Amino acid sequence: MAVKKEARLRGRFKEDIDAAAQRFVASVPFDWRLYKYDIEGGVVHAEMLAKQRIISRQEFEKIKAGLRDILAEIDSGKFKFKLELEDVHMNIESRLFELIGDTAGKLHTARSRNDQVALDMRLFAREAAGTVIQALQAINTRLVDMAGKNIKVVMPGYTHLQQAQPVLFSHYLMAYFEMFSRDIARFESCLKRINVLPLGSGALAGLPYPVDREFVAKRLGFDSVSANSMDAVSDRDFVLEFESAAAIAMMHLSRMAEDVIIWSTREFGFIDIGDAYATSSSIMPQKKNPDAAELVRGKAGRVYGHLVGMLTVMKGLPLTYNRDLQEDKEGFFDTFDTLVPCIEMMSGLMASLKINAARMKYSMQSYILATDLADYLVNKGLSFREAHAVVSRMVSYAIDNNKELNELEIKEYKGFCERFEGDVRSITLQKSVEARTSQGGTATDEVKKSIEKAREIIRGY
Ligand code: ARG
């Protein structure tokens, strides 16, 4: 079935576009959300054209007023996006014709949709990265606050999800502060490459007009202008970088979510999720489910998917612009729309936790101090490997005799190694923690130092 012809897009064709083909190529169902950036870019572009005497001052004023009206129409929900106009760019231009007549035709002088869409995406990405960074800073602020308040809580640290060594719960929280700090750095670094102006590249080859790209860059807050027009219209590295930084951040959030899920089980009982962040079962009245955390964990999948999807779209694309690039949008928008709520959800959920310090302590068997026993023997002159072998035999003996390590008699200790003395009794969970004074270790003073440093960083946010 053929539909009404849209003159500005169909100039050279004798036939109208097939309705299904029209729906298929249209991007307006999702790229409409670029309108703010499209209009902002249009106004500055027209201002530059006037400054360079490519169009007149009056023409610029007319275009600017028209674009401002369109912005207000879209903001207030009055604007009707039309599928037959294909994308956000043509929808806005077409409405500009309705509002100001033929002068609207001058706006597209020295501009192609190829550099225009690259500009819109970069403006969107710039704001999106800023929003992500703010959300990450907020969760970091919360984690540091929690770490400060829970400095006395000792929990079992795990490797292979087996009890390994006691650590401060605050040390655990600060581990995530480090991860999110790296995420922030990744988005900040990505911002540098986002913030390059592609407009002024034309369709691919540059422009035969005396444009002033530096002026446009300055007005739109870009740090620099792109150096190569062919690269500028076909580059989506900034989308890939954003998606990759997002994928890593989602991985961090997912791990944190997993800890929360495990620790809130009856078997662990280390934490209780605030009722406001828990869900119930429709059939089992006793249930308190960590659905929010599970969804954070689950949503990591789609964010990874968008990264791989876009890498695959880009791979093998001949230079320069190809319509395949339109596929950058939905994945990018969804990455942003997924990541920010996940950060906010984990932040709220963490703050809602009731920490069961007694349960954490109770869960630790004496075996968790086995490394400390080995370290004790090292202090008495054994090599670490010898000490490790002695304590391994003790652990095996204790297990066989259904005893905790600290239930063994001193003479039993001596049976394994002559160097054991009565002071071996002074090895406790807290002492084990406090012994780990190496830089970045879990000793209270070290963790307090890291919290202090973090507070300094947070003041700089
Ligand atoms: N909707 C297109 C996109 O997102 C806009 C650019 C179209 N350019 C073109 N030459 N067909 O990539």
Side-chain angles (χ1 to χ4, degrees):
M1 192 189 93
V3 296
K4 209 178 125 255
K5 194 152 139 184
E6 174 41 51
R8 276 181 293 278
L9 281 169
R10 310 279 311 158
R12 60 158 288 197
F13 299 126
K14 298 193 180 67
E15 268 180 66
D16 288 346
I17 190 167
D18 174 80
Q22 183 170 76
R23 271 196 306 279
F24 188 75
V25 300
S27 54
V28 71
F30 47 87
D31 73 8
W32 68 269
R33 69 188 276 186
L34 294 173
Y35 72 91
K36 201 172 70 172
Y37 313 101
D38 202 67
I39 289 172
E40 192 186 353
V43 170
V44 173
H45 178 66
E47 186 183 2
M48 182 276 292
L49 292 178
K51 184 181 87 70
Q52 299 300 95
R53 305 192 185 285
I54 300 167
I55 65 172
S56 74
R57 200 79 215 164
Q58 290 102 299
E59 286 166 339
F60 160 57
E61 293 298 344
K62 244 174 131 174
I63 289 171
K64 179 169 146 184
L67 286 174
R68 292 265 171 265
D69 288 346
I70 294 172
L71 181 66
E73 285 178 12
I74 302 176
D75 276 342
S76 65
K78 276 193 217 117
F79 191 96
K80 271 215 124 13
F81 284 103
K82 295 184 189 134
L83 194 75
E84 59 272 24
L85 291 170
E86 215 174 280
D87 56 29
V88 64
H89 323 294
M90 296 311 295
N91 267 274
I92 289 172
E93 185 177 321
S94 167
R95 180 68 181 138
L96 193 61
F97 271 96
E98 286 172 15
L99 291 177
I100 68 167
D102 282 344
T103 308
K106 300 229 166 171
L107 173 60
H108 214 52
T109 316
R111 191 176 72 169
S112 149
R113 271 191 296 162
N114 297 351
D115 57 357
Q116 187 179 355
V117 73
L119 169 70
D120 293 3
M121 284 298 280
R122 282 174 185 270
L123 287 172
F124 179 92
R126 188 171 75 188
E127 200 173 313
T131 306
V132 170
I133 289 169
Q134 274 177 13
L136 287 166
Q137 289 174 338
I139 193 172
N140 260 356
T141 305
R142 189 155 263 176
L143 290 174
V144 172
D145 185 49
M146 286 176 74
K149 286 187 176 131
N150 290 284
I151 195 76
K152 294 207 150 54
V153 179
V154 180
M155 61 169 262
Y158 294 86
T159 64
H160 313 267
L161 199 52
Q162 303 288 330
Q163 287 196 3
Q165 291 171 348
V167 292
L168 292 188
F169 177 58
S170 300
H171 197 46
Y172 165 86
L173 293 171
M174 293 306 290
Y176 278 95
F177 173 84
E178 291 301 323
M179 289 176 238
F180 294 137
S181 295
R182 290 196 295 274
D183 291 329
I184 291 170
R186 263 184 284 275
F187 278 100
E188 280 171 347
S189 161
C190 168
L191 258 175
K192 289 186 202 140
R193 278 160 314 271
I194 290 174
N195 212 21
V196 178
L197 175 81
L199 197 69
S201 300
L204 77 159
L207 296 161
Y209 298 94
V211 292
D212 184 350
R213 299 188 65 204
E214 296 291 345
F215 172 85
V216 175
K218 208 168 187 174
R219 271 277 198 282
L220 290 173
F222 284 101
D223 297 326
S224 59
V225 301
S226 56
N228 181 299
S229 61
M230 295 179 78
D231 176 41
V233 296
S234 61
D235 168 33
R236 294 294 183 276
D237 290 4
F238 66 98
V239 171
L240 294 170
E241 281 190 50
F242 187 108
E243 287 175 347
S244 125
I248 296 173
M250 284 301 297
M251 175 271 289
H252 292 151
L253 291 165
S254 175
R255 294 184 79 175
M256 182 183 242
E258 171 69 1
D259 282 334
V260 168
I261 292 163
I262 295 179
W263 294 356
S264 67
T265 57
R266 184 168 177 88
E267 287 75 4
F268 273 78
F270 288 1
I271 54 174
D272 195 17
I273 296 172
D275 286 357
Y277 287 87
T279 41
S280 58
S281 158
S282 55
I283 174 166
M284 297 162 282
Q286 86 284 10
K287 294 278 290 229
K288 180 171 182 182
N289 293 332
D291 292 36
E294 291 168 276
L295 278 166
V296 168
R297 188 177 60 184
K299 282 174 192 292
R302 65 204 276 169
V303 174
Y304 292 5
H306 297 319
L307 170 62
V308 176
M310 194 55 197
L311 281 168
T312 314
V313 166
M314 298 295 291
K315 170 188 175 301
L317 274 192
L319 239 50
T320 56
Y321 180 86
N322 299 272
R323 193 60 174 265
D324 315 46
L325 291 178
Q326 181 168 292
E327 285 293 308
D328 64 351
K329 293 185 187 55
E330 286 157 291
F332 188 68
F333 295 157
D334 188 64
T335 296
F336 173 63
D337 293 341
T338 304
L339 177 58
V340 173
C342 284
I343 300 169
E344 289 170 350
M345 188 47 53
M346 282 316 291
S347 181
L349 199 148
M350 291 304 285
S352 85
L353 297 183
K354 225 182 90 224
I355 315 297
N356 193 341
R359 178 66 195 239
M360 286 180 177
K361 189 167 181 191
Y362 175 76
S363 78
M364 283 182 270
Q365 308 152 312
S366 60
Y367 302 112
I368 202 168
L369 294 175
T371 323
D372 297 84
L373 276 183
D375 291 333
Y376 169 96
L377 290 176
V378 168
N379 272 323
K380 303 268 175 182
L382 265 64
S383 80
F384 187 79
R385 284 292 165 228
E386 289 169 324
H388 184 277
V390 170
V391 180
S392 298
R393 285 195 292 275
M394 289 172 64
V395 168
S396 164
Y397 170 85
I399 290 170
D400 288 347
N401 290 280
N402 209 9
K403 279 184 176 173
E404 293 285 321
L405 280 172
N406 54 5
E407 286 169 359
L408 302 183
E409 303 291 333
I410 295 295
K411 63 171 189 300
E412 287 178 289
Y413 274 88
K414 281 195 176 289
F416 289 99
C417 178
E418 266 306 315
R419 313 238 179 143
F420 277 120
E421 311 280 349
D423 60 352
V424 73
R425 291 270 179 241
S426 67
I427 297 174
T428 60
L429 293 171
Q430 193 70 39
K431 285 239 171 79
S432 163
V433 165
E434 301 310 348
R436 295 197 157 63
T437 53
S438 58
Q439 206 179 351
T442 195
T444 303
D445 280 348
E446 268 308 304
V447 176
K448 279 185 174 162
K449 254 189 253 167
S450 80
I451 292 173
E452 264 326 300
K453 250 194 210 151
R455 287 195 174 125
E456 190 61 44
I457 292 167
I458 286 168
R459 276 192 286 276
Y461 282 168

